[in-house]
C-alpha cells in the first residue's frame, strides 16, 4: 500500500507539473528586444545570436556583455546604451542560450562562451572597449588572450570564476529534463524568485528593481529552451577553469575593475586583491552590489566615460 501511495503521489505531482508548465508556457510572449536600435543577427556555430546595434559604425566600438543567470539577457544594459550611442558604435548581444538568441539543447560550457566572445569581437568589432559583467567578465578575460582578438580596453564588473560549489552532473541532467527541469526552471525564475535574487545579491536597494525589469526577466526565462544554459550554470559547469589574476596579468590590455561596495557574493576585498595582483584599476560604486550598472546607470555611465578618456596604458 505504501509503494502504491508513493507512486500515486509521484504521478499526481508530475501531472500537476505538466499542467503548470503548459500554463506558464502559454503566458510567455515572444520576447521583444531589450534595447531599442537596429536588431541584428550573428550566425555562430549554427546558432542565431541576437544583438542590438546603436550609433555610427564609424565611431569607436563599445561592446556590452551581460552576465550569466537563470534570467540573464542584454536587458542588463538597457539604461546605459543611450549615454554612448551618440558618439560610439554600441553592440549589445544576448549570449547564446539567453535572451532573444537561439537556445539549443547544448551542453553549455565556459569554452563555448569564451569562443563566442572571441569570435564576436573578431567578426563584428574593431579594437573595441568591452564591458563584461560577473561570470562573463572571466570569459572576456580568457577571450582577450586568444590570437587575433584585439581590444582597446576591458571593463570588468565584479568578474568571477566561482559561482557554484562544485560540478554536479546529476543536477545538470535533472535541470535539462523536459518535465522536471522545466518545472524547476519555472520555480527558480518565478517573479517572486527574481525579486528575491535581485534583492539578495543583485541590487543594494530592492526598491530599484522595477516591475518592467522583473517582467522582462520572467519573459526571457520562459522562452523555448530557456532551461538549458541555466542548467549548466546552476550545476556549476559554467565556472571557467582559469586563474583570473594570472589571466589579467598576462594581458597587455588596460583593464578596469568595477565593484559595488556592498557586494557580498564577490566582496570588495576580492576586487582589491585582484586589482593589486593584476595591476588593474579598481573603481568602487557606493550603495551597489553585483549590478552597479543596472542600479546606478548614470553613475556607471560617468565612470565609463572617465575610463574611456584615460590615455592608453593607464
Amino acid at each position: 500500500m505504501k509503494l502504491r501511495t508513493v507512486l500515486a503521489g509521484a504521478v499526481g505531482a508530475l501531472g500537476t507539473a505538466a499542467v503548470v508548465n503548459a500554463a506558464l508556457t502559454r503566458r510567455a510572449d515572444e520576447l521583444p528586444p531589450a534595447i531599442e536600435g537596429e536588431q541584428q543577427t550573428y550566425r555562430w556555430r549554427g546558432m542565431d545570436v541576437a544583438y542590438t546595434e546603436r550609433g555610427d559604425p564609424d565611431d569607436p566600438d563599445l561592446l556590452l556583455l551581460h552576465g550569466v543567470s537563470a534570467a540573464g539577457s542584454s536587458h542588463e544594459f538597457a539604461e546605459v546604451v543611450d549615454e554612448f550611442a551618440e558618439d560610439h558604435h554600441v553592440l549589445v548581444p544576448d549570449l547564446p542560450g539567453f535572451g532573444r538568441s537561439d537556445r539549443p539543447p547544448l551542453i553549455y560550457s565556459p569554452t563555448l562562451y569564451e569562443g563566442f566572445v572571441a569570435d564576436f569581437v573578431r567578426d563584428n568589432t574593431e579594437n573595441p572597449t568591452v564591458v563584461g559583467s560577473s561570470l562573463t567578465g572571466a570569459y572576456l578575460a580568457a577571450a582577450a588572450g586568444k590570437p587575433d582578438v584585439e581590444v582597446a580596453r576591458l571593463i570588468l564588473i565584479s568578474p568571477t570564476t566561482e559561482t557554484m560549489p562544485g560540478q554536479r552532473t546529476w543536477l545538470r541532467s535533472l535541470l535539462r529534463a523536459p518535465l522536471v527541469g522545466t518545472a524547476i526552471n519555472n520555480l527558480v525564475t518565478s517573479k517572486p524568485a527574481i525579486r528575491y535574487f535581485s534583492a539578495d545579491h543583485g541590487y543594494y536597494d530592492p526598491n530599484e528593481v522595477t516591475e518592467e525589469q522583473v517582467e522582462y526577466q520572467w519573459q526571457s526565462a520562459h522562452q523555448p529552451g530557456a532551461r538549458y544554459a541555466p542548467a549548466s550554470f546552476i550545476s556549476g559547469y559554467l565556472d571557467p577553469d582559469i586563474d583570473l589574476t594570472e589571466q589579467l596579468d598576462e594581458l597587455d590590455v588596460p583593464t578596469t575593475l568595477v565593484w559595488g561596495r556592498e557586494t557580498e557574493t564577490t566582496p570588495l576585498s576580492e576586487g582589491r586583491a585582484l586589482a593589486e595582483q593584476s595591476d588593474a584599476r579598481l573603481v568602487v560604486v557606493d550603495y551597489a552590489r553585483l549590478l552597479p550598472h543596472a542600479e546606478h546607470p548614470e553613475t556607471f555611465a560617468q565612470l565609463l566615460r572617465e575610463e574611456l578618456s584615460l590615455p592608453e596604458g593607464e
Side-chain angles (χ1 to χ4, degrees), residues 247-260:
Q247 184 68 26
L248 292 178
D249 193 44
E250 292 174 0
L251 294 177
D252 187 23
V253 179
T255 300
T256 299
L257 308 177
V258 180
W259 233 271

Side-chain angles (χ1 to χ4, degrees), residues 77-243:
F77 288 101
E79 300 301 320
V80 176
V81 174
D82 284 349
E83 171 66 26
F84 296 96
E86 291 186 3
D87 55 6
H88 283 79
H89 179 221
V90 186
L91 301 97
V92 197
D94 285 317
L95 297 179
F98 294 96
R100 300 178 71 243
S101 293
D102 282 351
R103 308 187 190 207
L106 305 175
I107 301 296
Y108 291 83
S109 68
T111 55
L112 181 142
Y113 288 112
E114 292 165 11
F116 166 75
V117 173
D119 288 344
F120 193 94
V121 170
R122 290 190 192 103
D123 295 343
N124 298 287
T125 70
E126 182 177 351
N127 202 33
T129 293
V130 190
V131 179
S133 176
S134 192
L135 195 58
T136 307
Y139 303 150
L140 172 56
K146 295 181 181 294
D148 302 324
V149 176
E150 297 181 1
V151 297
R153 185 177 291 273
L154 299 180
I155 311 292
L156 308 182
I157 306 169
S158 299
T160 184
T161 60
E162 298 178 357
T163 58
M164 299 292 172
Q167 295 180 335
R168 291 154 290 177
T169 305
W170 67 268
L171 180 57
R172 184 177 63 185
S173 298
L174 183 67
L175 295 172
R176 289 173 58 86
L179 183 57
V180 177
T182 300
I184 296 173
N185 182 69
N186 288 335
L187 179 64
V188 300
T189 60
S190 66
K191 290 183 179 180
I194 289 171
R195 293 189 188 95
Y196 170 79
F197 289 121
S198 295
D200 182 63
H201 55 263
Y203 282 63
Y204 173 75
D205 182 358
N207 293 321
E208 292 295 323
V209 182
T210 67
E211 287 304 309
E212 188 271 337
Q213 290 171 315
V214 172
E215 177 66 22
Y216 194 90
Q217 290 183 61
W218 187 91
Q219 291 287 345
S220 179
H222 289 81
Q223 298 298 304
R227 69 186 183 277
Y228 294 120
S232 289
F233 169 62
I234 295 171
S235 59
Y237 278 94
L238 289 188
D239 290 355
D241 186 20
I242 63 171
D243 186 310

